């Protein structure tokens, strides 16, 4: 399996009535799919600020206790995959720093495309960095800004930064949410009132609002900063007129189907991709099965469009995390087997259409085709609900290097041969663009499929900071 990892999830809550640390724990739990390497929660009561972080899943790190302090009123949280920097304790978030203006905690989802240059400049001026993640440049820029208020300091810092960022920032008395001018990654606002007490929530995905009984209010707009404090919510637009570039891969694979991002239901987009794939491929077989769980929604769309029964063909072991969490190639290889097992009774003697969301290096598909054949499938037709991935992502999805992407060097027919399927079909880019109806297709980023990068990458690679330090 691959090193292809998505970035992170962020969460923040402001409430004088509810236990914000506990709400953050629940919010992070709902965002666990966005990162399983490490997580953390930072809390403040208005004077004191504390952070608790660790390696592992949310329920592992906070098995025994959720950070708690009397009178707590703001908390932010983070779940992480390593898109920049290694999977190390030092790189866990939220970051918490003391500076001349007080304390701030910060959690970042995304990937900055000019962090290396900013860091070099800051280091030349004597700044010491304690992590190897790009997110640390934010706190240093904020701390060094000569502006008066925290809002101005953040805006001052953002002027220097390019790339993908959704932030939750906490001061002793404010919760701040920021979304980059292109809106690469999702960020939404929720609010709860009534029997549970008032709370404002900022989260990567709307599924994290549901779990804390917060009503969806709206998305944070690209280029917007929202400030929540005792006076309610205030909005500052710091970038207007920039071309939007929301990540299409959130809809294809990453976000949870029960989330709605920028007005578009993830489930509906994914279902539509499956329908479109059935139309385009024209494949017909005895059954449609999915690669669980990421292929489920598209597979059901495919089956619905083609009028072919959708059955369970692969059993997923629910107790294993996403296979990509395994850090070495050897661990990843055994992980596919540990994770998936064919249901012989479903597939034996059948012409099987199998739907997955993407092929990255081709490792997973090849193994699955083999499994299905061993289980007696008559023929295996692989249908992928996204186009071939030919270019790495610089905005938060860890595609490692281009030469590892199978579609960067092989044709569809060569990939088919490599994975051993009887046939292979990818959704076309044109077809994909028709699947997110609530959003103008021109407002999305498709760089991993066509190399059309909306913001130039100025960094070398994800270990750039570690290499500098060696
Ligand atoms: P590969 O085996 O390298 O071709 O990877 C394809 C599999 O990876 C598919 O089953 C996808 O669901 C899954 N996948 C796609 N994108 C990601 C990602 N960013 N992180 C983890 N898994 C992914």
């Amino acid at each position: 399996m691959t090193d292809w990892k998505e970035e992170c999830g962020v969460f923040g809550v402001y409430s004088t009535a509810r236990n914000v640390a506990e709400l953050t724990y629940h919010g992070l739990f709902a965002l666990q799919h966005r990162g399983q390497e490490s997580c953390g929660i930072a809390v403040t009561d208005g004077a004191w600020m504390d952070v608790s972080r660790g390696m592992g899943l949310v329920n592992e790190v906070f098995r025994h206790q959720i950070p708690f302090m009397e009178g707590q009123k703001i908390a932010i949280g983070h779940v992480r995959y390593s898109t920049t920097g290694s999977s190390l304790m030092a790189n866990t978030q939220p970051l918490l720093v003391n500076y001349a203006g007080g304390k701030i905690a910060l959690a970042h989802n995304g990937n900055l495309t000019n962090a290396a240059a900013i860091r070099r400049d800051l280091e030349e001026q004597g700044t010491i960095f304690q992590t190897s993640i790009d997110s640390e440049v934010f706190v240093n820029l904020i701390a060094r800004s000569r502006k008066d208020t925290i809002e101005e300091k953040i805006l001052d810092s953002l002027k220097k930064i390019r790339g993908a960022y959704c932030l939750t920032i906490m001061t002793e008395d404010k919760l701040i949410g920021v979304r980059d001018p292109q809106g690469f990654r999702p960020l939404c606002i929720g609010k709860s009132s009534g029997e549970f007490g008032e709370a404002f929530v900022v989260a990567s995905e709307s599924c994290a609002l549901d779990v804390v009984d917060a009503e969806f209010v709206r998305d944070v707009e690209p280029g917007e900063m929202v400030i929540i404090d005792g006076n309610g919510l205030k909005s500052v637009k710091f970038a207007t007129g920039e071309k939007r570039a929301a990540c299409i891969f959130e809809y294809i694979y990453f976000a949870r189907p029960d989330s709605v991002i920028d007005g578009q239901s993830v489930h509906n987009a994914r279902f539509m991709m499956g329908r479109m794939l059935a139309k385009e491929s024209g494949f017909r077989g005895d059954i449609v099965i999915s690669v669980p769980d990421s292929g489920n929604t598209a597979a059901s769309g495919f089956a619905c469009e083609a009028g072919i029964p959708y059955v369970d063909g692969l059993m997923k072991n629910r107790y294993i995390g996403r296979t990509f969490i395994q850090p070495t190639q050897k661990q990843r290889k055994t992980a596919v087997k540990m994770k998936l097992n064919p249901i012989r009774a479903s597939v034996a003697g059948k012409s099987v259409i199998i739907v997955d969301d993407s092929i990255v290096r081709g490792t997973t598909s090849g193994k699955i085709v083999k499994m299905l054949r061993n289980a007696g499938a008559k023929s295996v037709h692989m249908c992928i609900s996204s186009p071939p991935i030919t270019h790495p992502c610089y905005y938060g999805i860890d595609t490692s290097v281009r030469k590892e992407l199978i579609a960067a060097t092989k044709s569809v027919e060569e990939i088919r041969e490599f994975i051993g399927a009887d046939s292979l079909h990818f959704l076309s880019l044109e077809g994909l663009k028709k699947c997110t109806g609530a959003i103008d297709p021109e407002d999305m980023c498709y760089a991993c499929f066509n190399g059309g990068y909306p913001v130039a990458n100025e960094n070398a690679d994800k270990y750039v900071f570690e290499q500098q330090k060696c």
Side-chain angles (χ1 to χ4, degrees):
M1 314 264 297
T2 88
D3 268 323
W4 229 61
K5 303 168 200 169
E6 253 281 354
E7 17 30 54
C8 312
V10 295
F11 188 87
V13 54
Y14 183 106
S15 173
T16 46
R18 301 181 67 182
N19 181 331
V20 288
E22 202 173 292
L23 291 185
T24 305
Y25 172 80
H26 291 135
L28 292 184
F29 206 75
L31 296 174
Q32 186 76 83
H33 60 289
R34 297 187 72 86
Q36 297 120 48
E37 281 181 5
S38 66
C39 60
I41 299 176
V43 192
T44 185
D45 59 1
W48 186 247
M49 198 181 280
D50 202 3
V51 66
S52 179
R53 298 176 294 218
M55 302 300 296
L57 301 174
V58 177
N59 65 350
E60 291 166 350
V61 172
F62 298 107
R63 182 175 302 158
H64 301 299
Q65 75 174 77
I66 303 169
F68 177 80
M69 56 176 73
E70 288 292 324
Q72 52 170 295
K73 59 176 190 179
I74 314 173
I76 62 168
H78 189 261
V79 287
R80 173 168 195 263
Y81 251 168
S82 57
T83 52
T84 320
S86 296
S87 176
L88 299 170
M89 185 58 200
N91 287 342
T92 55
Q93 296 190 42
L95 300 169
L96 190 154
V97 294
N98 286 298
Y99 73 110
K103 296 186 185 72
I104 58 167
L106 178 143
H108 170 211
N109 169 205
N111 209 44
L112 309 181
T113 52
N114 66 338
I118 297 177
R119 182 161 169 151
R120 207 176 311 118
D121 281 355
L122 290 172
E123 281 177 335
E124 274 166 18
Q125 294 167 46
T127 305
I128 293 166
F129 282 82
Q130 295 183 347
T131 75
S132 60
I133 49 175
D134 60 351
S135 320
E136 201 180 357
V137 301
F138 280 115
V139 284
N140 279 301
L141 288 173
I142 294 168
R144 293 171 65 97
S145 170
R146 302 241 175 251
K147 299 283 180 188
D148 293 332
T149 65
I150 183 68
E151 290 93 326
E152 288 168 337
K153 285 178 193 292
I154 295 171
L155 294 176
D156 195 30
S157 311
L158 294 180
K159 278 189 208 137
K160 303 189 178 75
I161 282 173
R162 288 189 286 281
Y165 52 89
C166 276
L167 306 172
T168 50
I169 301 173
M170 179 176 83
T171 67
E172 287 100 333
D173 58 359
K174 289 184 171 71
L175 168 66
I176 296 172
V178 184
R179 192 172 179 199
D180 68 62
Q182 282 73 30
F184 283 109
R185 303 278 147 228
L187 193 67
C188 64
I189 306 167
K191 194 177 177 199
S192 80
S193 48
E195 61 170 316
F196 299 110
E198 281 232 318
F200 267 110
V201 179
V202 179
S204 288
E205 287 183 43
S206 61
C207 65
L209 305 182
D210 301 337
V211 76
V212 298
D213 295 308
E215 295 272 321
F216 175 83
V217 175
R218 65 177 177 87
D219 293 284
V220 176
E221 290 290 308
E224 182 185 16
M225 172 167 81
V226 293
I227 305 109
I228 297 153
D229 59 17
N231 300 318
L233 186 143
K234 199 174 82 191
S235 158
V236 177
K237 281 292 260 179
F238 62 91
T240 43
E242 300 269 352
K243 179 134 179 40
R244 283 185 170 217
C247 171
I248 185 67
F249 220 78
E250 292 278 348
Y251 297 94
I252 293 169
Y253 167 81
F254 200 55
R256 259 175 49 167
D258 51 337
S259 288
V260 177
I261 303 173
D262 291 331
Q264 171 65 56
S265 146
V266 175
H267 171 273
N268 287 357
R270 228 168 262 181
F271 191 82
M272 202 47 210
M273 289 169 203
R275 294 190 74 153
M276 195 64 82
L277 186 58
K279 273 191 211 155
E280 285 186 354
S281 69
F283 281 168
R284 297 299 175 257
D286 299 323
I287 53 170
V288 175
I289 69 168
S290 78
V291 178
D293 295 318
S294 55
N296 292 357
T297 315
S300 58
F302 191 113
C304 171
E305 179 68 33
I308 301 171
Y310 172 39
V311 299
D312 293 333
L314 288 170
M315 188 61 209
K316 180 179 168 187
N317 186 326
R318 309 229 167 259
Y319 306 98
I320 185 167
R322 285 193 177 186
T323 39
F324 285 73
I325 195 174
Q326 313 298 332
T328 68
Q329 183 66 14
K330 199 170 158 210
Q331 281 169 298
R332 283 188 212 111
K333 276 192 174 151
T334 45
V336 182
K337 240 190 170 148
M338 284 172 67
K339 187 171 163 185
L340 297 172
N341 201 33
I343 302 178
R344 190 172 283 271
S346 296
V347 302
K350 303 272 172 37
S351 164
V352 177
I353 294 175
I354 175 148
V355 181
D356 200 2
D357 62 278
S358 57
I359 291 184
V360 185
R361 295 184 194 178
T363 330
T364 312
S365 312
K367 287 186 189 316
I368 288 171
V369 171
K370 211 177 201 168
M371 271 180 194
L372 293 172
R373 289 205 196 283
N374 288 344
K378 197 164 73 190
S379 56
V380 181
H381 307 276
M382 181 67 72
C383 286
I384 304 296
S385 60
S386 65
I389 297 168
T390 49
H391 291 74
C393 174
Y394 300 126
Y395 314 119
I397 296 179
D398 187 356
T399 44
S400 47
V401 286
R402 184 156 190 247
K403 67 176 192 305
E404 290 174 355
L405 299 169
I406 191 167
T409 52
K410 288 191 189 333
S411 67
V412 174
E413 175 51 22
E414 285 166 341
I415 300 173
R416 186 203 61 73
E417 207 173 299
F418 178 84
I419 66 172
D422 293 282
S423 52
L424 169 67
H425 191 92
F426 287 90
L427 182 62
S428 70
L429 188 55
E430 297 65 44
L432 176 65
K433 287 183 179 179
K434 294 184 188 130
C435 297
T436 45
I439 305 175
D440 182 339
E442 297 314 311
D443 286 346
M444 305 212 78
C445 176
Y446 306 96
C448 53
F449 306 125
N450 64 8
Y453 293 107
V455 176
N457 177 41
E458 300 164 46
N459 295 326
D461 67 45
K462 85 163 181 163
Y463 296 106
V464 63
F465 303 136
E466 279 146 34
Q467 285 163 0
Q468 276 178 3
K469 279 197 290 187
C470 295

